[in-house]
């Protein structure tokens, strides 16, 4: 039961990080560069979100190091 909850939490984390990265990249690209920027920076945001989705501790370590 605990393993199922860990898998569900990891899937939720991955979907939210990838979605957030894509959304931030695409909105920044749209605001500053138009369609081409939205597509390009959306892809970059997707890649960064996928990297952050690997392990939540990466994000926590990044946030802790920046304080």
């Amino acid at each position: 039961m605990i393993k199922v909850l860990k898998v569900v939490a990891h899937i939720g984390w991955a979907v939210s990080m990838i979605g957030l990265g894509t959304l931030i990249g695409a909105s920044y690209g749209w605001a500053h560069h138009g369609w081409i920027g939205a597509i390009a920076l959306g892809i970059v945001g997707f890649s960064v979100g996928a990297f952050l989705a690997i392990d939540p501790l990466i994000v926590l370590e990044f946030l802790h190091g920046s304080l």
Side-chain angles (χ1 to χ4, degrees), residues 2-64:
I2 297 296
K3 283 189 173 190
V4 172
L5 290 175
K6 287 174 88 173
V7 168
V8 169
H10 192 90
I11 290 171
W13 175 260
V15 169
S16 65
M17 284 294 102
I18 292 171
L20 183 65
T22 305
L23 178 68
I24 290 172
S27 63
Y28 183 82
W30 175 259
H32 296 283
H33 304 291
W35 279 103
I36 301 299
I39 293 169
L41 291 177
I43 292 171
V44 170
F46 180 85
S47 302
V48 170
F51 175 72
L52 295 176
I54 293 171
D55 190 10
L57 292 177
I58 295 172
V59 177
L60 294 175
E61 189 69 31
F62 175 73
L63 291 175
H64 178 63

